[in-house]
Amino acid sequence: MTQQQPPWPSPRGNRWLILAILAFLHFADAAALPLLFSHIKPQINWTQPEMERWVIEEQPRSIQPHLEPLLHPNRSHNILAGDASDSEFLKRLVRQNQTASGRMLWNDVAGGDGLVYPPFVDQALKLFNLKQVAFEIENSLMSKVTCTACRAGTGMLQHQIQSGKTDTEIIRMITDYCTNLNIQSARVCQGVAQLFGSELIYVLKRVNLSPDELCSFVIGDGCADVYNPYHEWEVIFPPVPKPPRLADLPIPLEAAPFFKVLHISDTHYDPHYAEGSNAECNEPLCCRLSSGRPATPNAAAGKWGDYRKCDTPKRTVDHMLSHIAETHKDIDYILWTGDLPPHDVWNQTKEENLAIIKETVKQMVEMFPGVPIFPALGNHESAPVNSFPPPYVNQVDISISWLYDELDVQWRRWLPQSVTHTVRRGAFYSVLVRPGFRIISLNMNYCNNKNWWLLLNSTDPATELQWFIYELQSAEFSNEKVHVIGHIPPGHSDCLKVWSRNFYKIISRYESTVTAQFYGHTHYDEFEMFYDPQDLTHPNSIAYIGPSVSPYYDLNPGYRIYYVDGDHDSTTRLVIDHESWIMNLREANLYGYPIWYKLYTARAAYNMKALRPSDWNNLLNELASNQELFELYYKYYWKNSPARPTCDAECKKRLICDCKSGRSHDRKHFCAEVESKIDEESSKSWKSWFYKGLTNSAEDRKEMPVTTTDKDGYGPLDLVIINVGG
């Protein structure tokens, strides 16, 4: 690991918003406080904790196959059987295609939500546009507006720390301003300030970074790319040549053995969900008795969940698991990619989060007895949310051992004893599933840019990536194929740029070993592409992003089924196909009973011969130019939600670019060509519509006298079309 070390001593979250409101102190005491404190370098009296000695090679490894497949007589995935030519095969896919037909936390009176801002902050709201900041934070869509608020809030907070204010005084100030600005309810303001304030102050007292550096580190693209040598590092690869790259991967054999795999993600089970409670409460989470009474019948929470800011009731989780156990009796193993607790991020405790983890683990054991489950840690499992201190932060009151030790106890119901050390160290592990096939679960919270602890030292937290390289190199030596699971997708804007860049290099180096990746976090039904960093025309990996069980928000609950190339001499361990299953929440609440059904099958829906990286890359190119196909993808992306918004050209560019960018905060390298193609297609579509309309209009008036041409021989219609054409 190489890095220039810092000169020591040195919820969708809501924390940046709380920071941003500190900037409004400028309006209350302009003479005493500058607006932006980019020059502040706090005096630090702190020494870097001594890093513990952790030798990767000395840790136990899983080397005995963990899964003993059960025999499922007459089982088949119906689109795989039989031989056919390409044209016949694709026709069969089409026949098999059975498909079903941002909300903001802080709003204004004009929008009909009833919130009124105090008059003295009108100027501040115009300057910082806190509503847009809130929307961007909630949806991980950062822009210069959020960046400006971040710099102002961070600078103000650093100023308060430098001026000698106590933690209690700073937290009280955050609470007061949050409440007085009516940004959230008093209890949310107080809860957020108490939960996050102490941790944030602790970290900021110990770093020597300016607001520009801090905000660039956390926000990424939306806040310029400020070079920070303290947070630039590179993983080290062993001196082993990369195996020769294949022109393309082989297509898995049809009618060969396969594994049927269930993928569940982002359950967000809410034990306090209450049918009939207020679903429009203007807090980060509603549909609870504490949300108050609904103002109208339409504002009442549904029986099985709600499209508004509400998580999953227990009856819905129970019904889904019962449906899966009854419908998919031949599941070989389960991928469970995290986020179990609800979105009440201002009101969480370690004890309650642990209780939810224990309850859901117990439920999974009872519903799927004997089925191996491979879990990954979400960002909501910690309290406060996104708080995952690296191992060197080992003080009793702030160490993360309270969570990792319990995860080891709970996960050991399915995992071998060899994973204990890495789970307790960093909540990651490696398991040999079958001879030649391994699953590696990563703790993606060490790339989470809302994890404040990474500001202390972001260099490969918990040595996870270096361990990952060791596992992949060992797998390569043993001729094993690997599936990677985690929570936050590495190309998502919530993943730190430096971590994502190193991960991208690792996937490229071991592209012949890693045959699939599986994540959650976004709640949508989507995927991410990976390419050779030296040749962006060569796709080398695909990351499947599974849909959420939680409807939060505007979504139908869903889950995925994968068919993975199984045990045979020519196995590729690639995903052969996948299905997305959903429950129509509106109909469930209307008729009082949910019906789960298969929304689509990937190969049939998108007319794909296989699901290799090259096939997904071809689909991406077609999505950019084929509007009808994109609209189909967009419907599935939203899990066929009736609450989904329309998608214009900018929305289309963002979604396709998200799929193209397996490396976070680096859209300029991946998206220029796609965006240009979409702009070109949009222009053609608009011109065609405009020309057709004018032509029809001209035909309607064909009995009218012909208009005199100008000196160049063009009439008015000709000039309009020339103008449109540029």
Side-chain angles (χ1 to χ4, degrees), residues 471-547:
E471 285 292 323
L472 291 178
Q473 188 60 63
S474 300
E476 183 179 279
F477 285 150
S478 303
N479 199 29
E480 297 171 354
K481 300 301 182 185
V482 172
H483 284 184
V484 178
I485 67 173
H487 181 66
I488 300 174
H492 194 272
S493 59
D494 285 346
C495 187
L496 283 174
K497 182 175 182 177
V498 62
W499 197 100
S500 179
R501 184 184 68 221
N502 279 282
F503 182 85
Y504 204 83
K505 291 179 181 178
I506 295 172
I507 294 298
S508 179
R509 165 59 185 85
Y510 296 100
E511 65 174 276
S512 62
T513 299
V514 177
T515 57
Q517 304 175 54
F518 305 88
Y519 304 96
H521 185 61
T522 72
H523 292 204
Y524 298 104
D525 189 303
E526 52 183 326
F527 64 96
E528 276 183 1
M529 291 296 305
F530 289 72
Y531 299 86
D532 187 331
Q534 307 305 318
D535 178 11
L536 294 182
T537 64
H538 171 64
N540 59 21
S541 189
I542 174 71
Y544 297 96
I545 303 175

Side-chain angles (χ1 to χ4, degrees), residues 245-263:
R245 189 179 87 184
L246 298 176
D248 203 352
L249 296 175
I251 294 178
L253 297 176
E254 292 198 33
F258 61 86
F259 292 129
K260 186 174 182 180
V261 182
L262 169 66
H263 183 188

Side-chain angles (χ1 to χ4, degrees), residues 548-725:
S548 64
V549 175
S550 173
Y552 192 100
Y553 48 81
D554 286 344
L555 295 169
N556 284 317
Y559 66 89
R560 276 257 186 95
I561 295 289
Y562 297 98
Y563 297 92
V564 175
D565 205 1
D567 289 345
H568 57 92
D569 292 342
S570 302
T571 184
T572 63
R573 303 298 183 185
L574 291 169
V575 173
I576 303 169
D577 204 355
H578 77 67
E579 305 166 351
S580 285
W581 291 66
I582 67 165
M583 177 256 282
N584 188 307
L585 187 56
R586 173 176 289 177
E587 292 181 357
N589 286 332
L590 181 63
Y591 300 115
Y593 188 80
I595 297 176
W596 298 86
Y597 65 96
K598 182 169 62 177
L599 177 63
Y600 76 99
T601 300
R603 288 167 64 185
Y606 300 129
N607 224 9
M608 300 170 75
K609 179 71 174 176
L611 299 188
R612 301 165 298 176
S614 59
D615 299 304
W616 285 106
N617 184 60
N618 292 337
L619 175 64
L620 266 183
N621 293 330
E622 194 172 355
L623 286 175
S625 57
N626 185 333
Q627 182 61 25
E628 184 178 354
L629 183 65
F630 174 78
E631 289 173 358
L632 184 67
Y633 172 78
Y634 186 66
K635 180 175 79 170
Y636 297 154
Y637 172 88
W638 278 89
K639 295 181 281 184
N640 199 26
S641 169
R644 67 182 183 270
T646 56
C647 189
D648 59 14
E650 290 304 312
C651 160
K652 181 178 180 180
K653 285 191 284 188
R654 179 177 62 81
L655 291 189
I656 296 180
C657 188
D658 285 346
C659 296
K660 193 95 173 174
S661 307
R663 191 168 66 196
S664 69
H665 304 289
D666 209 359
R667 302 175 79 90
K668 62 183 179 182
H669 286 99
F670 298 101
C671 301
E673 182 180 351
V674 169
E675 292 178 344
S676 176
K677 183 180 291 188
I678 294 173
D679 286 338
E680 182 180 349
E681 292 298 323
S682 298
S683 176
K684 288 180 181 178
S685 175
W686 185 85
K687 291 177 189 176
S688 174
W689 168 83
F690 190 75
Y691 182 83
K692 183 177 180 180
L694 289 176
T695 302
N696 290 340
S697 178
E699 288 178 353
D700 291 341
R701 298 195 306 270
K702 61 184 178 181
E703 301 298 330
M704 298 176 63
V706 178
T707 307
T708 305
T709 60
D710 71 355
K711 63 180 180 179
D712 293 319
Y714 297 113
L717 178 59
D718 299 310
L719 291 175
V720 169
I721 300 303
I722 291 171
N723 226 6
V724 170

Side-chain angles (χ1 to χ4, degrees), residues 395-410:
Q395 294 93 319
V396 174
D397 57 333
I398 54 178
S399 168
I400 196 65
S401 61
W402 66 271
L403 176 60
Y404 292 175
D405 290 354
E406 186 59 41
L407 288 179
D408 179 49
V409 172
Q410 298 299 322

Side-chain angles (χ1 to χ4, degrees), residues 33 36 60 76 156 204 217 332 413 452 485 501 509 643:
L33 301 174
L36 297 176
S76 67
M156 183 65 66
L204 289 183
F217 178 82
D332 290 297
R413 298 168 184 253
W452 289 103
I485 67 173
R501 184 184 68 221
R509 165 59 185 85

Side-chain angles (χ1 to χ4, degrees), residues 59 71 102 128 226 241 270 282 288 291 302 350-351 370 385 393 405 408 417 440 447 512 551 606 623 649 663 669 696:
Q59 308 312 314
L71 294 177
F128 287 103
V226 179
D270 186 1
N282 289 311
R288 295 173 151 197
S291 303
K350 296 175 181 178
E351 293 74 20
V385 65
V393 181
D405 290 354
D408 179 49
Q417 185 175 357
I440 296 179
C447 90
S512 62
Y606 300 129
L623 286 175
R663 191 168 66 196
H669 286 99
N696 290 340

